[in-house]
Amino acid sequence: MANEIQKTSNANKMTFSAFMTSNAISNKVNQIIGDERTGKRFIASIISAVSNNPQLKECDNSSILSGALLGESLGLSPSPQLGNYYLVPFKDKNKGMVATFQLGLTI
């Protein structure tokens, strides 16, 4: 799966929205999550989270997807308003800008 994602990411040359809505990624997300309806909701929520954070747009697409899938596996929402988890931009000296999963504090 990692090779498919990296090939589709194409060294982050495409926008995150185009990356997530590509056939290869949307099909893989649907397989992982379990159904197309939930997959579409997941894709829309992640695209929304990235569009609201300009620094995430600079991150490697596959790192954003990886962090978001971790949040999804925990049953958490990427919505910044809910604060379940955050995708935090981080500069890695080897990989460039990557998104890291950060668990939020919910009360």
Side-chain angles (χ1 to χ4, degrees):
M1 180 179 122
N3 287 339
E4 290 175 33
I5 291 172
Q6 287 175 344
K7 287 178 187 174
T8 305
S9 178
N10 200 14
N12 209 23
K13 291 182 181 175
M14 63 173 56
T15 66
F16 185 71
S17 178
F19 170 74
M20 288 301 294
T21 56
S22 69
N23 286 335
I25 297 301
S26 60
N27 289 339
K28 190 56 76 174
V29 165
N30 292 339
Q31 287 177 351
I32 293 169
I33 291 181
D35 66 70
E36 188 174 347
R37 181 175 172 217
T38 306
K40 285 183 179 183
R41 180 206 49 82
F42 170 79
I43 290 170
S45 65
I46 298 308
I47 289 173
S48 177
V50 170
S51 69
N52 286 322
N53 186 339
Q55 292 177 323
L56 279 176
K57 293 177 186 178
E58 299 173 22
C59 293
D60 175 63
N61 291 336
S62 59
S63 71
I64 298 170
L65 177 57
S66 177
L69 285 170
L70 177 56
E72 182 69 20
S73 72
L74 297 171
L76 303 174
S77 170
S79 170
Q81 292 80 9
L82 295 176
N84 292 157
Y85 75 91
Y86 301 94
L87 295 170
V88 181
F90 175 74
K91 187 170 183 173
D92 182 288
K93 66 179 181 179
N94 297 321
K95 298 178 185 176
M97 290 296 287
V98 295
T100 57
F101 175 88
Q102 178 68 49
L103 190 60
L105 177 63
T106 55
I107 298 174

